[in-house]
Amino acid sequence: MTNSIHRVAAGLAAVTVLAVALTGCGGGASSADKDAASGDVASLVTPSAPVSATPAGGAANGRPQLRLDMTDEEEERLWGTYNICLHDNGVKLNDGRSQPGPVGDGTGLSLDQSGEPKAAYVACANKLPLQPPELDPEKNPNYVSQWNDYVQCLRGRGMKIHSLPDGSGWTYDDGVADPAGGLEGPALATVERECTMEIFGAQK
């Protein structure tokens, strides 16, 4: 079985593309972790109980701030706004993967991942959602220990996984018949959300 690598939280690709675009313009970008531009990756954190009082749009640099207590719909709306901005500024659709019909709120958009045109990513930089502070190693002093606890939480749910060396995600153990423990798709997303709330949502 080919190892599958799961990155923390659900915009790494989008942020990487943004970083490339901004680098070309003399700027920079901090890392986050969601395939934002494609809209293909489900949110890792869509909990049911409030944990953070940070407002959705209250980031100091103008970027919307994701929270652990956001619903799927709230988070998807923010990513959709970012996707629409990219599309409106020239980023092409990923043919065959976007949902048919009008662009609408952007939640069905799957965008080209080439990073072109760079000007689109610069123009939309202030709409790129920031990950919850709890999931940002630079803002959460307990991140490393909590990440390790998070991986152990998933293992406790039956998954045979181990953390990547840099703590950016996890991958399945080798030589295991069913490393996912029978968890796939929505079931896997649910377990990931539960463990996110249990570990990163805890007051430590």
Side-chain angles (χ1 to χ4, degrees), residues 72-200:
D72 285 334
E73 292 75 17
E74 288 173 328
E75 184 173 349
E76 287 170 1
R77 190 178 306 120
L78 293 180
W79 286 110
T81 298
Y82 178 63
N83 286 340
I84 288 174
C85 181
L86 293 178
H87 184 254
D88 287 348
N89 281 275
V91 176
K92 296 179 180 179
L93 293 177
N94 191 352
D95 292 337
R97 300 188 67 181
S98 288
Q99 296 176 0
V103 170
D105 63 2
T107 56
L109 288 180
S110 178
L111 301 180
D112 173 71
Q113 297 293 298
S114 68
E116 298 294 340
K118 293 180 176 61
Y121 292 89
V122 174
C124 299
N126 67 335
K127 292 181 173 59
L128 175 64
L130 292 163
Q131 287 300 309
E134 296 90 343
L135 302 180
D136 186 341
E138 295 182 1
K139 296 179 180 178
N140 179 5
N142 300 314
Y143 178 83
V144 174
S145 62
Q146 287 181 314
W147 170 254
N148 290 330
D149 290 343
Y150 170 76
V151 171
Q152 290 304 312
C153 178
L154 294 178
R155 290 183 65 86
R157 300 294 207 281
M159 300 180 68
K160 304 296 187 281
I161 61 173
H162 56 274
S163 178
L164 297 178
D166 62 358
S168 67
W170 56 260
T171 187
Y172 292 118
D173 295 346
D174 292 325
V176 180
D178 181 18
L183 297 171
E184 296 180 359
L188 174 58
T190 295
V191 166
E192 288 183 318
R193 286 193 290 268
E194 290 174 350
C195 284
T196 297
M197 288 307 298
E198 179 179 328
I199 304 303
F200 288 99

Side-chain angles (χ1 to χ4, degrees), residues 21-39:
L22 293 180
T23 299
C25 299
S30 61
S31 65
D33 34 31
K34 185 176 177 135
D35 284 310
S38 68

